[in-house]
Amino acid sequence: MEGAQCVDEREMETRIRFRSWMRVALWLIGLMALGISLMLSISVGAAEIDLTMVWEALVNFDSNKAQHQIVMYLRAPRALVGALVGMGLAVAGAMMQGLTRNPLASPSIMGVNAGSSLALAIVFAFAPGMSYNQLILISFLGAAVGVGMVMWISSLSREGITPVRLSLAGMTISTLLSSLATGISIYFQTGQDLTYWYAGSIAGSTWDQVRVLVPWISVGLVGSLLFARSLTVLSLGDETSKGLGQRTKWIKLCGSILVFILAGSAVSAAGPVGFVGLIIPHMARFLVGLDYRWIMPYAALLGGLFFVLADIGVRILNPPYETPIGVVTAFFGVPFFLYLARRK
Amino acid sequence: MQVMIALVLLILLSIFISFNTGIFKLSPMEVLRTLWGTGEEHHHLVLFEFRLPRIVIALLIGTGLAVSGLILQGITRNELADPGIIGIHAGAGLFVASWMMFLKSELSQPPFLISILAFMGGLFAAFLIYLFAWRKSGVSPMRLILVGIGFNLLFDAALLALQVKMDPNQFLYLEIWLAGSIWASNWNFVLILMPWILLLLPIAFYRSRRLNILLLGDSAARGLGIAVQRERLILLLLSVGLAASCVAVGGGIAFVGLVAPHLARRLVGERHEYIMPTASLMGSLLLVVSDLVARQVLAPNEIPTGLVVAVMGAPYFLYLLARTKG
């Protein structure tokens, strides 16, 4: 009997190891797909530039050629910002769903989107005519205020932050802030400008933005990976997690800060794209199960890939106009998501 | 019990204040005299033709949305659920927006039609969600939620696609509609809303105990002799019916559905036969007071009532959240 059990365990172990290798391989394939989609994204647009030319411009840049300039100054930063934003939102979403243990949670529940909308609504109403970079900064500050309020309110109680309290406080504060934003934009009739700002998303991305985003998103992603293990334990419940020797308060605080770093920078660069932060973590979960050490890298990859592809869709669906990216992500992502949700 | 009595008194008080205030000022004595039937003719007109229908609509919408949200939170076992988050409001909004865009109708279109469109949009959204969440084994709470948020995003995206193409007037009209306001306040609309609430609310109250059992989980509920799938479908239909009829008259007022059940739960505990009446009173109170504020603060301009609900309801709820357990 003991022998048989032993074999079973060994077989189990090999199976788990095999599955892990499969997942690593699949992830690497995904990474290649991301690379290809970045190249595609650079090549597609009003001026068709074929892939060899893209490669040439990236490797051997010649500022005299117009095509090289388009690649270098317009398309490449846009593609990179897309990938970074997608990664940031997806991982922030996974983190949020882990912290609140609620499948409905997304970075927007942390007050990120609403805080940024309110800040922008105020600026559009009272100090119009700000530059692009200033608006991004304002939006980021707004997100910080939103997250700060959510954290503060949900930690007021003697029990500290519980998942239910965090999600309810977050939802309530988000509704409050976005209602104020809507009120302001209706009163000053700036609603459509705001909508354009959101819908326009990453069209005007520059290398400046890439330079700003890279450190934030990298810190956020690395932090989330380091955190994934604790998050998996936390998702077993506060009591269990404490019993296993985790400092749950600390985890929740750090997790929320990571959500803010990732989602705050992503939202200020691209506007509130609801789909990625809410749906991509679920997709990652459908693929790799409940362990956040797998969910995080898969969410990052899927988020980046999805956002870059969607941004291609933005440009080719209705040229010469750009379709709002939120529309593209939802129209192409939701059917796929529904399929996954039904299968499970 | 004390909570409910207090709520009823507060509602009566706010109704009375509501009678007094408006562009046309009436003193409390004049209101009392008019109610008694001995007031002047034009007071009678102001009170019974303008103010009363609006108050009644606010009461009904508040009740309907609160109960609808409570039921949804129960059957999905998710504290964040409300009719808005699973796409009922967005579906209604999409129908209204498409009508405005594609049929090129002017803003002077009959409000009655908008109301019917919103109602159909809400039901359509719910139908799609249930259809896609259904599999041979039935509908699980988790799948209901996932499919719901999927469709919500889809409808929202479609709305956004329409919104960027609208002319500024249409855009503003839609923005106010989506924010939620009691824009159609006359007795006709009371007559649209009333039958639904009168029909669905008693059934919901009658079935409120079932929610206690469903919250224990599917297998436990089955063990206690509940036909889980059938019960869930009935409750879902109740919730959707209530939400859709409220959206038809109140537009995108959403926050009540989320917050009123939680306020009630934190005041009277975990049993749904107590939570439901408390939540429905709480919803009514919240909406009557909010509508009063919406009419008054920037008079003669109005603020969309849905926005005021959030601004008034959120602080109190956050306070309770910090004070109570769970």
Side-chain angles (χ1 to χ4, degrees):
Chain A
M1 272 308 277
E2 261 180 34
Q5 208 169 351
C6 222
V7 170
D8 268 4
E9 261 172 36
R10 207 173 298 156
E11 198 186 296
M12 195 69 159
E13 207 167 284
T14 31
R15 208 176 292 165
I16 287 175
R17 198 166 295 161
F18 177 69
R19 207 178 54 187
S20 303
W21 280 114
M22 286 297 289
R23 283 177 179 174
V24 172
L26 189 62
W27 194 81
L28 288 175
I29 294 172
L31 197 63
M32 277 186 337
L34 178 61
I36 295 168
S37 62
L38 279 173
M39 296 284 283
L40 267 180
S41 163
I42 295 175
S43 117
V44 172
E48 278 299 334
I49 301 174
D50 60 36
L51 286 173
T52 46
M53 183 63 94
V54 172
W55 184 251
E56 194 190 308
L58 291 176
V59 179
N60 196 358
F61 178 63
D62 178 357
S63 62
N64 290 324
K65 290 186 184 163
Q67 286 187 320
H68 282 202
Q69 285 197 340
I70 294 178
V71 167
M72 214 50 182
Y73 298 126
L74 296 177
R75 303 258 177 94
R78 177 171 183 167
L80 285 176
V81 166
L84 289 168
V85 165
M87 288 179 176
L89 286 176
V91 172
M95 181 72 83
M96 241 0 251
Q97 290 172 1
L99 287 175
T100 58
R101 271 180 249 138
N102 194 319
L104 288 181
S106 73
S108 66
I109 279 189
M110 202 68 207
V112 178
N113 295 0
S116 125
S117 316
L118 179 57
L120 286 175
I122 292 174
V123 168
F124 273 80
F126 296 106
M130 281 209 179
S131 76
Y132 191 74
N133 283 335
Q134 281 170 318
L135 286 176
I136 287 181
L137 183 67
I138 297 281
S139 155
F140 190 67
L141 290 177
V145 172
V147 175
M149 279 179 72
V150 172
M151 289 305 293
W152 175 57
I153 298 277
S154 52
S155 63
L156 272 182
S157 158
R158 230 178 295 152
E159 294 164 83
I161 302 174
T162 62
V164 173
R165 186 170 289 122
L166 180 62
S167 33
L168 286 177
M171 191 72 148
T172 308
I173 290 173
S174 297
T175 313
L176 177 63
L177 296 182
S178 61
S179 294
L180 290 173
T182 312
I184 291 174
S185 72
I186 288 177
Y187 190 75
F188 291 94
Q189 306 213 352
T190 52
Q192 211 156 12
D193 297 341
L194 271 171
T195 309
Y196 277 126
W197 160 262
Y198 288 146
S201 68
I202 60 171
S205 307
T206 60
W207 282 106
D208 283 342
Q209 263 173 286
V210 178
R211 243 167 263 142
V212 175
L213 273 179
V214 164
W216 287 94
I217 301 282
S218 321
V219 168
L221 290 181
V222 172
S224 308
L225 272 180
L226 294 177
F227 231 67
R229 197 193 173 88
S230 314
L231 201 60
T232 311
V233 179
L234 190 70
S235 64
L236 299 174
D238 272 22
E239 296 298 318
T240 317
S241 172
K242 263 181 210 154
L244 289 170
Q246 297 234 331
R247 288 187 290 176
T248 51
K249 261 186 204 165
W250 179 242
I251 296 173
K252 285 170 191 162
L253 182 67
C254 290
S256 314
I257 292 173
L258 285 171
V259 169
F260 161 66
I261 289 176
L262 288 165
S265 52
V267 166
S268 46
V273 183
F275 180 87
V276 180
L278 183 58
I279 302 287
I280 296 285
H282 287 300
M283 287 191 179
R285 215 165 278 133
F286 291 142
L287 285 173
V288 296
L290 299 172
D291 187 345
Y292 280 90
R293 284 175 301 175
W294 289 107
I295 295 177
M296 288 300 180
Y298 266 84
L301 184 69
L302 287 174
L305 183 63
F306 195 77
F307 209 94
V308 172
L309 289 177
D311 187 46
I312 297 176
V314 164
R315 281 169 281 166
I316 61 174
L317 281 181
N318 185 21
Y321 303 105
E322 300 216 335
T323 316
I325 189 146
V327 175
V328 180
T329 49
F331 277 6
F332 289 90
V334 168
F336 183 51
F337 173 69
L338 289 178
Y339 165 74
L340 286 177
R342 274 183 63 80
R343 234 191 40 173
K344 207 184 172 189
Chain B
M1 208 54 205
Q2 291 107 315
V3 175
M4 280 185 238
I5 293 170
L7 283 173
V8 170
L9 290 178
L10 280 173
I11 290 175
L12 289 176
L13 180 69
S14 53
I15 291 176
F16 192 68
I17 298 174
S18 239
F19 272 140
N20 287 306
T21 45
I23 301 169
F24 188 89
K25 294 265 180 297
L26 288 175
S27 73
M29 276 318 289
E30 281 170 327
V31 170
L32 282 179
R33 232 179 290 139
T34 316
L35 287 177
W36 193 247
T38 54
E40 291 169 48
E41 189 66 22
H42 63 279
H43 289 172
H44 195 273
L45 181 78
V46 168
L47 224 53
F48 286 98
E49 289 305 314
F50 297 134
R51 289 191 191 155
L52 191 57
R54 187 158 178 159
I55 293 169
V56 173
I57 285 176
L59 285 170
L60 293 176
I61 292 181
T63 296
L65 285 176
V67 171
S68 169
L70 178 65
I71 294 175
L72 268 184
Q73 286 168 12
I75 55 179
T76 60
R77 290 185 220 124
N78 192 312
E79 70 270 11
L80 289 183
D82 77 347
I85 208 167
I86 64 159
I88 309 287
H89 287 71
L94 185 59
F95 267 46
V96 173
S98 326
W99 164 264
M100 287 166 66
M101 275 301 277
F102 296 122
L103 296 168
K104 293 284 170 224
S105 55
E106 293 307 307
L107 296 179
S108 56
Q109 61 207 286
F112 200 70
L113 192 63
I114 294 254
S115 168
I116 303 280
L117 279 169
F119 185 67
M120 286 181 354
L123 290 186
F124 175 69
F127 171 71
L128 278 182
I129 293 164
Y130 195 79
L131 188 70
F132 275 78
W134 203 85
R135 291 191 59 191
K136 263 178 236 154
S137 55
V139 170
S140 78
M142 186 65 179
R143 209 171 323 119
L144 199 59
I145 286 219
L146 290 178
V147 172
I149 54 178
F151 273 107
N152 189 28
L153 282 167
L154 203 59
F155 295 143
D156 260 344
L159 261 179
L160 180 67
L162 293 179
Q163 273 180 310
V164 288
K165 289 188 180 158
M166 286 185 165
D167 67 51
N169 274 331
Q170 286 178 323
F171 184 90
L172 191 67
Y173 184 85
L174 189 67
E175 201 181 18
I176 292 173
W177 190 91
L178 287 173
S181 68
I182 303 176
W183 42 274
S185 50
N186 58 50
W187 287 109
N188 288 337
F189 285 89
V190 176
L191 286 180
I192 297 181
L193 188 54
M194 188 78 103
W196 290 99
I197 305 279
L198 285 186
L199 177 72
L200 298 177
L201 210 58
I203 308 179
F205 275 77
Y206 174 69
R207 291 193 172 265
S208 58
R209 278 163 206 254
R210 303 287 171 90
L211 282 171
N212 297 335
I213 300 172
L214 278 180
L215 272 173
L216 299 174
D218 282 13
S219 44
R222 219 169 278 131
L224 288 168
I226 298 266
V228 173
Q229 287 303 330
R230 191 172 141 261
E231 208 57 46
R232 191 173 287 143
L233 176 61
I234 294 174
L235 284 165
L236 185 69
L237 284 176
L238 285 173
S239 164
V240 167
L242 285 169
S245 51
C246 291
V247 174
V249 180
I253 298 177
F255 192 57
V256 192
L258 174 73
V259 86
H262 284 296
L263 288 171
R265 204 169 283 137
R266 278 165 199 278
L267 292 174
V268 299
E270 286 298 325
R271 296 178 60 179
H272 281 79
E273 57 269 38
Y274 300 126
I275 302 178
M276 199 176 274
T278 315
S280 85
L281 289 173
M282 189 60 95
S284 290
L285 176 64
L286 202 55
L287 219 60
V288 172
V289 175
S290 300
D291 195 48
L292 175 65
V293 174
R295 280 185 293 142
Q296 272 317 110
V297 170
L298 291 179
N301 290 324
E302 279 188 20
I303 313 169
T305 310
L307 301 180
V308 183
V309 172
V311 176
M312 310 261 312
Y316 179 53
F317 180 51
L318 291 173
Y319 166 76
L320 270 187
L321 205 57
R323 281 283 309 275
T324 50
K325 286 194 135 205

